[in-house]
Amino acid sequence: MKSPTGSLTELEGAVLVEVLHRGMTTAFKVRRAFQQSMSSEWSGSAGAVNPAIRRLEAAGLLAIGAPEGARGTRQLSITPSGEARLQEWSLDAERACNIGIDPFRIRAGLWAMLPESRRSALFDNLRRTTEAQLARLPTYGKDRDATERVAIGIVHDTLIMRLAWLDGFENGRKA
Amino acid sequence: MKSPTGSLTELEGAVLVEVLHRGMTTAFKVRRAFQQSMSSEWSGSAGAVNPAIRRLEAAGLLAIGAPEGARGTRQLSITPSGEARLQEWSLDAERACNIGIDPFRIRAGLWAMLPESRRSALFDNLRRTTEAQLARLPTYGKDRDATERVAIGIVHDTLIMRLAWLDGFENGRKA
DNA sequence: CCGAACATGTAACCTGTTACATGATTAC
DNA sequence: GTAATCATGTAACAGGTTACATGTTCGG
């Protein structure tokens, strides 16, 4: 269990964002936020989030309150040092501009090799799946504040881009 | 070292794509392709690629030739079974439509909280970084064939989307 | 001849996943 | 009361990273 003396992992950053954002939360709520997140980047498993929280505490970036109530709930809050580190993390343009792991893109080359009939069936399927995700967005963003909706907006843009790509491909753009 | 009886990991899929695509390659070339890839998804480290290749061979999806020449180069080729598995992997709409880990999106919420002056400085920086990536694309795609350029096209679209988002944000769209 | 690129491989480590164990509270 | 939700935690595992170790070939 190394304390994050180097730069924060994406999960650690996301945890700090969540805590900063909520002001006060619990480990459970952070996990649930990841579980319910539109993107299935992380499972929000206790086995990932709890160790990450302990690492952040060990590095002095997160304060963990004493267990309260019968459930032993522990309040999390970000420390000034944590805020500073988070900002530094967020301002790293090199990292922020990385093209992440995109399952859609990785597979797209293979789709292009499919015979027309199979491809158009698949593309219909992909369109339906994407539109279902789009339809979920308003509900999902409902009780989030403006800051969180910024990220949701990018998810929205990404889904729209995928739909446009699917349409554009079939209209022979391809290049 | 489990053989991939379950579904392929993204890396395993990407390795098979690379081998299918090149017809014949070596582990070294696969690694280099990942290292040079526009997206820094994977480091292309020997410690990841070699075990993945062995897993794929153990599962009968990849054939590894005997060491040839003084360098002991081993030719890789995809088996019919591997092609079938790869297709199955690529047609999984649920997985393909996942919103991946996007460092840009994860940070965007924080950027929105920055004071105007700091934000506009950062956004300039992000624009420059993104435009530099865009500028690299033609060179990068030069000696790739049409199929590979499909994925490059999506990288292109993603970068354009980010630029549009940066501009749109500063023009007060924000929602 | 030396350094860069080609080529493979292993060991130690970090981090995330699944799957479980435990218990309290709330809603029906 | 019992099922769902809240709340925390650990153990075993899988997969990727860094960092090495080893040797070949080619260009200057």
Side-chain angles (χ1 to χ4, degrees), chain A residues 2 18 23 30 56 71 81 91-92 100 108 116 148 164 170:
Chain A
K2 212 188 76 178
E18 193 64 25
V30 171
L56 292 168
R71 285 180 181 172
S81 166
L91 296 181
D92 182 344
E116 165 80 43
E148 274 175 302
E170 296 205 314

Side-chain angles (χ1 to χ4, degrees), chain B residues 147-168:
Chain B
T147 309
E148 274 176 301
R149 285 205 210 103
V150 170
I152 297 175
I154 295 186
V155 172
H156 177 267
D157 291 356
T158 303
L159 296 175
I160 295 291
M161 186 194 81
R162 287 178 175 176
L163 286 175
W165 181 86
L166 289 168
D167 289 340

Side-chain angles (χ1 to χ4, degrees), chain B residues 2 9 11 41-43 45-48 55 70-71:
Chain B
K2 213 187 75 177
T9 65
L11 177 63
E41 304 173 341
W42 297 298
S43 69
S45 64
R55 286 198 299 274
R71 284 181 183 171

